[in-house]
Amino acid sequence: MIKSVFGWLDANIEKVFILVAYGAMGSIIFVEVIRRFFFNVQAPWSTTIPIAMFLWLTWMGTSYNTKKRSHLRFTEVRERLPYGAQFSCLLLDALVWYGFGAIVIYFSIEQVYISYDNFAIVQGTDDVMQWWFYMATPMAWSLLLFRVTQNVLHDIKSYRAGEPLTVQANLFGD
């Protein structure tokens, strides 16, 4: 039971966040455009909440594309490299992701804390806190680094077995 729940989360967590964020953004924008042009009214938060939701959409999308190995890739060059060089490039990718991820997480947690500590609210609202949206960055980057770790473990296993390495992105399949 627990294994199936974690398996489902592993396969779908980014998709759920992306779908919810994109659906919320689209719905708010659609409804508020109709209200503005037909009824001459508009919620004061209708231009700030979709922008804040975009943080969740983009960072979870980055994690998803890292999982699928379709984010920041140089496949044309790598496919022509020898097997050992391909593996070395994959390990170098992981090291760069870990370094960059540590920097992003460190500074984004600081931003979340500053926003939380100052009780910063989203413009146009009375009680929607900015830090709720800023949490997207450290959470998604933590998930991204987990995806990098999964990819590295898969690469090591493939390399040791002499199997072909995944240098080409497979965006539509699992």
Side-chain angles (χ1 to χ4, degrees):
M1 172 70 175
I2 293 175
K3 187 176 180 177
S4 65
V5 169
F6 282 120
W8 186 88
L9 283 173
D10 183 49
N12 297 300
I13 190 73
E14 290 100 344
K15 294 176 193 175
V16 169
F17 275 100
I18 291 167
L19 182 64
V20 169
Y22 199 53
M25 288 170 50
S27 298
I28 291 168
I29 292 168
F30 177 77
V31 167
E32 292 303 317
V33 165
I34 299 297
R35 289 182 63 206
R36 181 175 38 226
F37 285 108
F38 291 109
F39 303 110
N40 214 20
V41 295
Q42 179 180 355
W45 49 264
S46 65
T47 57
T48 54
I49 295 289
I51 292 169
M53 291 297 297
F54 194 69
L55 286 170
W56 285 98
L57 178 69
T58 55
W59 291 130
M60 285 297 175
T62 303
S63 177
Y64 179 74
N65 284 311
T66 301
K67 173 186 174 185
K68 293 294 185 179
R69 297 178 184 256
S70 62
H71 201 292
L72 301 175
R73 304 290 295 189
F74 300 101
T75 56
E76 293 300 322
V77 173
R78 291 187 180 181
E79 287 178 339
R80 291 172 173 74
L81 292 174
Y83 189 69
Q86 288 179 7
F87 181 68
S88 297
C89 284
L90 292 173
L91 292 180
L92 180 62
D93 283 350
L95 289 174
V96 171
W97 275 119
Y98 289 132
F100 195 63
I103 292 167
V104 170
I105 291 169
Y106 176 81
F107 287 105
S108 64
I109 287 174
E110 185 177 338
Q111 177 62 41
V112 170
Y113 178 74
I114 289 169
S115 179
Y116 174 82
D117 201 35
N118 290 318
F119 301 99
I121 60 170
V122 175
Q123 291 176 338
T125 68
D126 292 329
D127 57 357
V128 178
M129 305 305 289
Q130 286 181 0
W131 71 268
W132 298 344
F133 298 100
Y134 293 155
M135 276 299 295
T137 307
M139 286 180 64
W141 273 86
S142 297
L143 183 57
L144 183 148
L145 293 181
F146 176 72
R147 297 306 187 187
V148 169
T149 302
Q150 287 179 320
N151 289 343
V152 167
L153 294 175
H154 181 267
D155 294 339
I156 291 170
K157 181 181 173 186
S158 296
Y159 183 75
R160 286 183 177 163
E163 298 171 351
L165 297 170
T166 307
V167 294
Q168 180 66 40
N170 186 11
L171 189 58
F172 297 109
D174 288 326

